[in-house]
Amino acid sequence: MITSRHLFGPGPSNPYPEATDALARPLLGHLDPAFLAIMDEACEMLRTVWGTANARTLPISATGSAGLETIMMNLLEDGDRAVVAITGYFGQRLAEMARRAGAEVETVEVAPGEIVDPADVERALAMKKTKLLAFVHVETTTGARQPIEPMIAAARKHGALVAMDCVTSLGGIPIDIDAQGIDAAGSCSQKCLGAPPGLGPITISARAMEAVQARKAKPHTWYLDLGLLFQYWGETGAEKKRAFHHTAPISSIYGFHEALRIILEEGLEARWARHENAHDMHVRGLDRLGISLFTPAANRCPTINVIAVPSGVDEAKVRARMLERGVEMSGGLGQLAGKVWRVGVMGHNAQAERVERFLGALGESLRT
Ligand code: PLP
């Protein structure tokens, strides 16, 4: 028997009930014109959420990591250089993906909770010709939000493309791919977008795609080869040939489509304000419990609240008690294991009554 939970960990967050209902819709074939229309609508809504007109915007048929790996494996090849800004575990992963793509990788790393100084990034970029600057927008292990504009400015100055991990930010806080000048970005379906896990949305600028098309050799991946993927997913403005590539996860795309529809119905600005309000309410509630956030105030992001475990508290026991009350939160990863709890205030869960429920369960679990 699977029990329903309030998923207040860093993801998956509770999906919209309409998105899970959509999973049960009748299956269509992956080349059925009716399904292709749903795919196109999902990509169009995804463009709006991301603030982009990029023709190459689609959900990869695998989780967020696969979307990010698609970007790294296609934008980088043997002999390229990449600079990766690291604010935690997920930045480390981007660096490892870049190495596996064959790139020489220079990292700029900071202590947990901190953000990278763009001047350090610029120094790293100035050392040698660099193809790509990659960074995580909101690091889920520390709660730190890296400001986008100074990173873009540093990359532009040195002629590098920019790739951003938006897994914990897309749909919860403002992102404007075109206005900000981001060349490639990857996210996931299961956090602020309010769909079940299983899809890795990506967007690729024309400039980034030119770099992919100018590669010396094919990417060391077949499934995640952008050239092949776009032959199936099609590109807006281009004639859609729709060559078979893989069997799309039809039901997941129904759910994703439904979540995107709800997001646009709510409106992006209203949504961002709702996340901000839910975060403020969460922080005030923690304060009443005598608990503070681990992440310095200047670096915080509404969507992921990384809490310092109060001294003398058995953190694993509190999490287990929360689960008995039907509420999930997560412990820390890596060097923050045992020191923090990670609480996602995302998507459908970024609402007053759901945050109240979380705070109530935390208060009771700290007492008993
Ligand atoms: N990047 C960040 C910042 C994440 O938080 C996560 C997952 O939590 C990932 C990448 C990986 O995404 P997925 O688990 O969907 O593969």
Side-chain angles (χ1 to χ4, degrees):
M1 238 288 271
I2 301 178
T3 331
S4 104
R5 303 244 198 252
H6 268 51
L7 298 174
F8 271 87
S13 184
N14 292 103
Y16 287 106
E18 295 91 332
T20 43
D21 288 351
L23 301 178
R25 287 181 190 158
L27 210 59
L28 292 168
H30 58 287
L31 289 169
D32 185 316
F35 176 65
L36 296 177
I38 293 171
M39 274 168 64
D40 283 351
E41 280 173 20
C43 293
E44 194 48 41
M45 290 190 284
L46 188 56
R47 281 185 197 97
T48 307
V49 174
W50 239 323
T52 185
N54 281 342
R56 284 113 179 162
T57 301
L58 62 84
I60 294 287
S61 304
T63 69
S65 307
L68 295 167
E69 194 150 79
T70 305
I71 291 169
M72 302 308 269
M73 294 299 279
N74 282 271
L75 287 187
L76 294 169
E77 65 180 316
D78 294 333
D80 285 339
R81 180 173 190 263
V83 170
V84 182
I86 300 181
T87 48
Y89 176 79
F90 290 103
Q92 301 276 10
R93 278 195 182 186
L94 287 181
E96 182 55 18
M97 287 176 189
R99 284 184 205 104
R100 290 184 186 211
E104 172 200 328
V105 178
E106 178 73 25
T107 59
V108 182
E109 193 162 357
V110 289
E114 299 302 325
I115 53 170
V116 169
D117 182 345
D120 292 336
V121 171
E122 242 201 275
R123 267 189 288 281
L125 288 166
M127 279 158 64
K128 225 169 160 187
K129 179 152 181 48
T130 303
K131 172 97 162 280
L132 182 72
L133 167 64
F135 68 100
V136 176
H137 187 200
V138 178
E139 175 53 62
T140 322
T141 46
T142 69
R145 169 192 193 159
Q146 184 72 44
I148 297 173
E149 282 79 3
M151 302 294 268
I152 306 288
R156 287 285 175 270
K157 200 163 157 191
H158 296 278
L161 294 164
V162 181
M164 185 167 90
D165 171 337
C166 312
V167 166
T168 300
S169 51
L170 183 66
I173 59 172
I175 297 177
D176 204 336
I177 292 289
D178 290 355
Q180 289 169 315
I182 298 155
D183 296 292
S187 189
C188 72
S189 48
Q190 73 271 17
K191 299 196 195 218
C192 302
L193 295 184
L199 294 174
I202 59 166
T203 187
I204 310 284
S205 72
R207 203 168 92 96
M209 201 57 202
E210 271 168 33
V212 173
Q213 281 154 353
R215 290 176 62 100
K216 295 187 283 294
K218 290 179 183 170
H220 297 304
T221 170
W222 180 87
Y223 191 66
L224 303 178
D225 180 329
L226 278 177
L228 299 177
L229 282 166
F230 288 132
Q231 284 174 25
Y232 173 45
W233 279 89
E235 297 167 17
T236 52
E239 195 195 337
K240 290 183 181 157
K241 295 209 178 70
R242 307 291 196 180
F244 169 69
H245 178 260
H246 65 279
T247 309
I250 320 282
S251 312
S252 300
I253 289 165
Y254 293 161
F256 187 60
H257 181 284
E258 188 58 16
L260 291 169
R261 191 193 61 72
I262 294 170
I263 291 171
L264 296 185
E265 195 174 75
E266 178 179 11
L268 290 174
E269 300 208 343
R271 191 175 181 82
W272 297 329
R274 177 165 61 76
H275 279 77
E276 197 77 52
N277 292 338
H279 164 77
D280 289 347
M281 184 184 165
H282 183 226
V283 176
R284 283 196 304 274
L286 291 174
D287 202 42
R288 284 196 296 277
L289 293 172
I291 295 176
S292 42
L293 263 69
F294 165 83
T295 319
N299 302 343
R300 281 179 203 159
C301 176
T303 56
I304 177 79
N305 298 203
V306 177
I307 300 175
V309 174
S311 63
V313 167
D314 182 334
E315 76 86 17
K317 205 174 260 177
V318 173
R319 277 190 290 123
R321 287 186 195 135
M322 296 273 288
L323 220 45
E324 283 162 18
R325 293 179 163 91
V327 181
E328 182 193 80
M329 68 173 177
S330 298
L333 275 184
Q335 55 178 301
L336 292 182
K339 297 184 182 147
V340 298
W341 289 313
R342 292 180 301 141
V343 180
V345 180
M346 298 168 169
H348 183 50
N349 283 353
Q351 305 182 39
E353 59 280 17
R354 296 180 81 89
V355 172
E356 277 301 353
R357 163 106 194 250
F358 170 83
L359 290 166
L362 180 57
E364 286 169 19
S365 302
L366 284 165
R367 285 191 291 275
T368 51

